Amino acid sequence: MARANRQGIRAGAVVVAAAAAVAGTVWGVTALVEPGPGRQENAARQTGTGGTGGGSDDGAKDDGAKGGGGKSGGGAQGAGGADAGAPQSQIPDGIAHASESGGNAVNITIDDGPDPQWTPKVLEVLKKYDVKATFCMIGPQAKAHPDLVKRVVAGGHRLCDHTMNHDTAMDKKPVDYQEKQILDAKKMIEDAAGGGAEVEYYRAPGGAFTPDSRRIAAAHGMRPLGWNVDTKDFGKPGVAAIVHAVKTEIGNGPTVLFHDGGGNRTQTVAALDQVLAWLKDQGRPTGFPVRTAPDAS
């Protein structure tokens, strides 16, 4: 009887050990597939139905979210333009910062236009250095200046939806309001561009993204677009300050924010010329932000 009891105890121990091993294996698999920490760029402005407020592209209420402050090394995201024109179902709703060109490529982005005085000057500087940029346009501005939208497209640049009214508090507004701001602007930009031109990105005013606005944009073929370097050119800090911001902050990641709308952009035009000359001297190519590829972590 005692011998039988000892055999039963040993058998039970084997069963317990086997169960523990299985549990350990399952936990290990879970740990392997557990996603890493999410990107921090623009994170402070990604809210649900409301969330944190403030912030504008002019830096008057800089809450630290507009440029992200995190690093986005660019990453190898595939050949430039490889994901352009992909089915809308393949557009992620994560905020893009990396460059399609990978490596140390830089993405030049231009906001708040088109403007009849400043957009042509920006386009001239870009052409001088054979650089392609992403233009984030306000819907009514695009409708008012279709010739400029067409010129942007003809120059090989890409289009980005920057909403109807540049409402930096739209992350506090109802989803229906966000959707109308995004989709009405998209239609105006596309109508102004003509020829089946595509609006490939969506940039929230002041970085006021929400999960809903990102979902809406992605569902309509537009990748949410952040930035890593805020040049603060909107506030006209001086040409040297704008250039200095790029040189000192480019380590944060490859996407740089400039403006061609919202006022006198004399400083922006001069600074952009100097920045592009510096990038050329540094051997750094330019490209477009990722559209269908996951953003670099």
Side-chain angles (χ1 to χ4, degrees), residues 270-292:
L272 179 62
D273 191 298
Q274 293 185 27
V275 166
L276 295 184
W278 176 73
L279 290 174
K280 183 177 180 180
D281 289 344
Q282 296 291 308
R284 298 196 66 166
T286 55
F288 293 113
V290 292
R291 185 165 176 242
T292 64

Side-chain angles (χ1 to χ4, degrees), residues 140-261:
Q141 287 292 108
K143 182 178 181 179
H145 306 288
D147 55 323
L148 293 177
V149 182
K150 290 180 174 65
R151 184 173 168 184
V152 166
V153 173
H157 309 286
R158 290 189 186 178
L159 300 174
C160 172
D161 180 338
H162 205 32
T163 73
M164 290 291 292
N165 305 118
H166 202 281
D167 182 355
T168 59
M170 67 180 286
D171 55 340
K172 299 179 178 179
K173 306 291 177 62
V175 175
D176 288 349
Y177 173 87
Q178 297 178 48
E179 183 172 47
K180 186 171 178 61
Q181 281 283 313
I182 295 167
L183 299 187
D184 285 2
K186 179 178 185 287
K187 186 177 188 308
M188 284 188 181
I189 298 168
E190 289 176 341
D191 288 349
E198 192 174 5
V199 179
E200 302 186 53
Y201 305 93
Y202 162 66
R203 173 173 276 167
F209 289 100
T210 68
D212 287 310
S213 68
R214 292 188 287 110
R215 172 185 54 78
I216 291 164
H220 290 83
M222 298 179 290
R223 178 68 181 267
L225 176 59
W227 63 88
N228 305 104
V229 180
D230 184 352
T231 65
K232 300 293 195 302
D233 66 323
F234 196 91
K236 307 182 187 72
V239 174
I242 296 170
V243 175
H244 179 73
V246 176
K247 291 182 177 180
T248 57
E249 296 179 23
I250 197 66
N252 293 339
T255 301
V256 184
L257 171 64
F258 291 98
H259 294 82
D260 63 343

Side-chain angles (χ1 to χ4, degrees), residues 38-56:
R39 295 195 58 78
Q40 297 302 310
E41 287 85 344
N42 304 93
R45 299 304 303 277
Q46 296 179 47
T47 60
T49 56
T52 60
S56 67

